């Protein structure tokens, strides 16, 4: 398998963490697509994924799967032991719901804030910016943090009693929020405690090690 991504991207982090949870990192070749140079918006990459977003999974037969949730669903169902997407119809439904909420209420809101209320990826990539809209999405992201804090006051993980791709989606939001200096509100103690727990998972630490190794100047 090949994954087109960028080593420290918040959305690519979701798939890399999922791969680590499934023990599949060694089976993947990562193809770097430099976000800061706008390579994801160039014709060569748009031929791979017309929406110009990362990551993208390429299978040995040439099949391309984009979107983090779809990639994670595919990876998790490669064996008879799904870890991230649920086993029963109820588990699957709740995990899908909470993953979607993580995207809409938090992660995607941080993304809009980044692209519109900050310098984003720079003038060669950010051809249009609406700072007012970006600021509103920053506010939405903070509301999303409060929502997940309330959820996590009554259960250990985002979709219930077990770690799932919904937790990975919120983790992506936390990674992105840190990159743009959107701090977790002080009162969101349950969210903070949950994230500390997530950061202790081997999959998160494997992702962090890959980020550290990918930084310019890192020793091979």
């Amino acid at each position: 398998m090949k994954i087109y991504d960028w080593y420290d991207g918040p959305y690519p982090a979701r798939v890399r963490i999922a791969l680590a949870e499934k023990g599949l990192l060694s089976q993947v070749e990562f193809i770097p697509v430099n976000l800061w140079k706008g390579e994801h918006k160039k014709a060569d990459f748009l031929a791979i994924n017309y929406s110009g977003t990362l990551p993208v999974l390429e299978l040995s037969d040439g099949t391309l799967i984009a979107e983090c949730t779809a990639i994670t669903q595919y990876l998790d169902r490669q064996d008879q032991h799904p870890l991230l997407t649920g086993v029963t119809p109820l588990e699957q439904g709740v995990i899908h719901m909470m993953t979607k909420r993580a995207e809409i209420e938090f992660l995607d809101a941080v993304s809009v804030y980044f692209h519109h209320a900050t310098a984003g990826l720079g003038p060669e990539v950010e051809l249009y910016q609406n700072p007012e809209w970006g600021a509103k999405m920053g506010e939405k992201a903070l509301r999303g943090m409060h929502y997940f804090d309330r959820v996590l006051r009554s259960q250990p993980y985002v979709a219930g009693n077990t770690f799932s791709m919904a937790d990975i989606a919120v983790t992506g939001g936390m990674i992105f929020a840190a990159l743009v200096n959107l701090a977790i509100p002080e009162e969101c103690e349950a969210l903070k405690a949950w994230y500390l727990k997530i950061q202790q998972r081997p999959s998160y630490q494997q992702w962090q090690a890959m980020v550290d190794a990918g930084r310019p100047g890192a020793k091979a």
Side-chain angles (χ1 to χ4, degrees), residues 169-196:
V170 176
T171 298
M174 300 294 277
I175 291 167
F176 212 158
L179 289 174
V180 297
N181 297 316
L182 276 178
I184 307 172
E186 284 296 325
E187 60 271 25
C188 291
E189 295 181 359
L191 180 62
K192 289 181 180 180
W194 166 87
Y195 193 41
L196 286 173

Side-chain angles (χ1 to χ4, degrees), residues 86-115:
V87 176
T88 69
L90 176 60
E91 289 172 348
Q92 292 172 24
V94 172
I95 289 169
H96 187 88
M97 174 184 73
M98 296 306 289
T99 300
K100 192 67 175 177
R101 287 184 178 179
E103 293 171 339
I104 293 173
E105 303 300 332
F106 185 27
L107 176 54
D108 291 350
V110 179
S111 179
V112 175
Y113 173 83
F114 170 71
H115 288 294

